[in-house]
Amino acid sequence: MGIEARERRQPWILLAPALTSVTLLLFVPLAFIVVYSFWLRTATGADQVGFYLDNWQEALGDPFYRDILFSTLRIAAITTVVCAVMGYPAAYFIARSRGNKAILLLMLMLPFWISYIIRTMSWINILGVSGALNWLLQTLGIINEPIQMLYNETTVILGLVHFLLPFMILNVYVALEGIDISLEDAACSLGSTRWQSFLEVTLPLSLPGLAAGGLLCFVLSAGTYITPLVLGGPRDAMFANLVFEAVITQLNWPLGSALSLMLLAILGGLVLIYNHFLGMGQLMKGLG
Amino acid sequence: MGWLLIRGWALLVYIFMFLPVAVVVMLSFNASQFGSFPMTGFSFHWFVELANNDAILRAFETSILLGSLTALVSTMLGVLASLALIRYRVPGSNLISTILIAPILVPEVVLAVALLLFLNALSLNKSFLLLLMGHVIFTMPFVILVVQARLVGIRRDYEEAAISLGAHPIQAFFQITLPLLAPAVFAGMLFAFTISFDDITGTLFWKPGGVETVPTQIFAMLRNSISPEINALGTVMIFLTVGLPLLGMAVARRMALQRGS
């Protein structure tokens, strides 16, 4: 075999284990649940193989599922906007700071590394009936009885923002770092105010980073079920909770398949739209 | 003026990020019986409780074993794939990259359901092996991203020089490329370990009954009531998950410096 043929084959040998794993552990299982979603789970717990539309009718038609889908999208959208509003100035501060950027970034990454479940539950210490805020308010004499601030949609959003904010800041920061600072100076020297040069030069150039961060925040918050279980009340279930309920609690796997695929279609669709307009490059920059 | 405002805002964001975590650490040393506010004194009581809690110790064992195996396998797969993508001109490399990154583009819940139901149909029930496969598949993309980013910086010339001086390609790989790669491999493994150690979304779907990882154990404990033991466990986790990557970064930097000198 010639050297060239070997050169050509080598990368495929290196890629084979990874590609095989992704195929067998992701793509084939996804194809399988597409098929599975048309089967029926009978009352006896056995699967009836066939082509039944029942699960899809239930997933798409039941107003219960539809309401939760809409509230999930609403929660994800609010979380994303809050992350952008909180994160953009912070990212701008780090990018334009004359201090030690590495330290500032590292400080931001520290909470990022701290376990998601710990960060989520940490809010119970602050907002719970015997938490810091209630204690403070009672000590100051503002309230007499502890008030229940936890277990509602607001605390779910709070937990999600706390979890996802570093993703947003990191992506915006990467975009801001890529902008030549002299562009802003040039705009200023040509007569625009600092604010104008920010609005007309910096902000538009950083939009890809904002979009990448926004996509991550939206997709990750719309797919969560842990945060609503820890910080939400019984009525704050999100769509992924329905999937968890169907698969783990009710053991109705065909229905769980259909619900999962619905979530995948919506969130995957968003990723595809994003990819079409902006490409994956920006997203990968922020992740790496 | 504007800059002052931005600075103040950034400060608030940092406080927002750190405050809840600081409260966890603070409460874990609280002497009070319920471990909630106010602080009544300083005590290691809850850490002693923690060390005597068999369920938590078992969860730690499971998490560390799972994380280590995940790191090993997914780094191996990831490094090989990254080498192929960076070192060779592969037709359709963009598509291949996207395919390899796909596990993190799919919502984790969906990945979890698909893998669980598919393997179940193959009569592979919930087990440690299923957990391992799941963790490998969603940590691998992160390993690939991290390793690729570092690999770009390693020139191929060194390897080629060794080969032209008579080294066998395999010899060149192990003696030249691999040592140069070591920081990237190390970073990838650490990253994979940390992600696996922290995961709960997929783990809750895949874990067999009775097996708990640290996050699922915390989750189970939360369902009862929040006890200071949880805060103590949180403090341990914080030091582990923050300490390990910091250590890793320090080691990687050290290795890079030594090589540079």
Side-chain angles (χ1 to χ4, degrees):
Chain A
M1 182 170 37
I3 286 188
E4 246 175 56
R6 207 156 94 206
E7 269 287 282
R8 246 181 287 127
R9 247 183 35 174
Q10 264 169 358
W12 294 107
I13 296 172
L14 294 173
L15 281 168
L19 282 177
T20 315
S21 313
V22 176
T23 309
L24 288 181
L25 300 179
L26 178 68
F27 291 113
V28 176
L30 281 179
F32 172 74
I33 61 167
V34 172
V35 176
Y36 205 176
S37 69
F38 292 103
W39 296 3
L40 266 193
R41 171 87 16 142
T42 56
T44 57
D47 288 324
Q48 197 166 332
V49 179
F51 187 82
Y52 302 95
L53 292 173
D54 302 43
N55 299 312
W56 284 104
Q57 262 159 11
E58 192 176 341
L60 294 170
D62 193 326
F64 174 68
Y65 292 135
R66 201 170 43 222
D67 287 350
I68 291 189
L69 179 64
F70 285 144
S71 81
T72 300
L73 297 179
R74 192 185 66 240
I75 289 173
I78 295 173
T79 303
T80 307
V81 171
V82 174
C83 281
V85 171
M86 283 180 76
Y88 196 99
Y92 189 86
F93 168 73
I94 300 174
R96 294 282 179 270
S97 161
R98 274 181 291 272
N100 194 335
K101 283 184 205 176
I103 296 286
L104 287 173
L105 262 186
L106 188 69
M107 273 172 50
L108 193 80
M109 295 306 284
L110 287 185
F112 200 36
W113 284 331
I114 294 169
S115 163
Y116 161 52
I117 184 80
I118 300 275
R119 281 201 281 151
T120 307
M121 72 111 193
S122 67
W123 286 100
I124 300 176
N125 285 324
I126 294 194
L127 300 175
V129 170
S130 53
L133 197 55
N134 264 312
W135 173 74
L136 190 71
L137 291 176
Q138 275 173 298
T139 312
L140 293 177
I142 296 169
I143 53 171
N144 295 320
E145 290 286 306
I147 40 176
Q148 182 57 277
M149 292 175 261
L150 271 178
Y151 312 122
N152 51 56
E153 195 179 291
T154 312
T155 48
V156 172
I157 293 172
L158 185 74
L160 287 172
V161 168
H162 193 236
F163 166 46
L164 295 167
L165 191 54
F167 286 95
M168 177 63 86
I169 297 183
L170 215 62
N171 274 285
V172 174
Y173 170 78
V174 169
L176 285 172
E177 269 296 275
I179 301 172
D180 191 344
I181 198 162
S182 56
L183 285 177
E184 231 171 291
D185 294 337
C188 284
S189 72
L190 290 173
S192 74
T193 63
R194 278 261 153 225
W195 178 239
Q196 263 177 329
S197 76
F198 170 76
L199 276 188
E200 290 179 24
V201 178
T202 313
L203 185 63
L205 286 172
S206 67
L207 280 183
L210 198 61
L215 180 78
L216 277 174
C217 288
F218 191 90
V219 169
L220 287 174
S221 53
T224 184
Y225 67 94
I226 301 291
T227 308
L229 282 180
V230 176
L231 294 178
R235 303 175 68 195
D236 297 313
M238 289 173 69
F239 201 76
N241 292 80
L242 298 177
V243 175
F244 187 76
E245 274 290 304
V247 172
I248 300 293
T249 315
Q250 300 167 15
L251 295 175
N252 189 341
W253 292 351
L255 177 65
S257 300
L259 291 171
S260 312
L261 289 169
M262 250 173 91
L263 192 63
L264 178 64
I266 293 166
L267 300 183
L270 269 178
V271 173
L272 286 182
I273 293 171
Y274 174 89
N275 185 38
H276 179 76
F277 287 106
L278 294 158
M280 279 295 144
Q282 185 72 38
L283 203 62
M284 293 306 142
K285 253 191 272 169
L287 279 172
Chain B
M1 169 64 198
W3 182 245
L4 216 64
L5 223 66
I6 290 170
R7 236 172 106 163
W9 187 262
L11 185 70
L12 286 179
V13 167
Y14 275 96
I15 292 175
F16 172 76
M17 291 309 298
F18 275 99
L19 186 70
V21 179
V23 171
V24 168
V25 176
M26 199 170 90
L27 284 179
S28 69
F29 294 105
N30 192 0
S32 105
Q33 190 189 345
F34 306 106
S36 53
F37 276 90
M39 295 283 292
T40 55
F42 183 88
S43 149
F44 284 108
H45 171 69
W46 298 111
F47 290 92
V48 176
E49 291 273 299
L50 200 64
N52 290 326
N53 188 326
D54 284 335
I56 290 173
L57 292 182
R58 264 203 312 278
F60 257 102
E61 267 171 41
T62 311
S63 277
I64 289 171
L65 182 68
L66 180 62
S68 310
L69 289 173
T70 301
L72 214 65
V73 179
S74 82
T75 306
M76 225 146 55
L77 298 177
V79 167
L80 293 181
S82 310
L83 273 173
L85 288 172
I86 297 282
R87 285 304 176 82
Y88 297 89
R89 285 162 55 109
V90 190
S93 64
N94 265 340
L95 179 69
I96 294 171
S97 292
T98 310
I99 290 175
L100 291 177
I101 301 298
I104 49 175
L105 297 179
V106 172
E108 199 180 332
V109 187
V110 180
L111 168 77
V113 170
L115 188 62
L116 173 71
L117 300 191
F118 174 65
L119 291 180
N120 206 279
L122 298 179
S123 326
L124 199 110
N125 288 317
K126 290 183 180 187
S127 61
F128 189 79
L129 184 67
L130 171 57
L131 262 179
L132 180 60
M133 289 198 271
H135 279 217
V136 165
I137 206 65
F138 77 74
T139 52
M140 197 183 69
F142 290 104
V143 172
I144 291 179
L145 288 174
V146 170
V147 173
Q148 270 190 346
R150 306 224 167 173
L151 233 109
V152 178
I154 302 173
R155 302 217 316 266
R156 212 186 168 177
D157 308 9
Y158 304 118
E159 203 178 321
E160 277 163 0
I163 294 173
S164 75
L165 288 172
H168 189 268
I170 301 220
Q171 207 180 354
F173 177 79
F174 277 103
Q175 294 193 349
I176 307 291
T177 316
L178 200 60
L180 284 171
L181 265 181
V185 173
F186 190 69
M189 279 176 76
L190 234 132
F191 208 21
F193 180 88
T194 316
I195 295 168
S196 157
F197 197 84
D198 188 25
D199 181 72
I200 180 163
T201 304
T203 308
L204 270 188
F205 278 91
W206 298 323
K207 78 180 184 66
V211 172
E212 302 283 355
T213 63
V214 177
T216 65
Q217 176 69 30
I218 296 173
F219 182 70
M221 285 164 76
L222 278 175
R223 297 237 124 169
N224 306 322
S225 70
I226 184 152
S227 81
E229 229 176 321
I230 291 194
N231 287 322
L233 183 54
T235 303
V236 173
M237 286 277 280
I238 289 168
F239 281 105
L240 268 182
T241 46
V242 171
L244 269 183
L246 279 183
L247 188 78
M249 272 168 55
V251 171
R253 180 170 266 188
R254 195 127 201 193
M255 283 162 91
L257 277 180
Q258 272 172 1
R259 195 144 296 114
S261 63

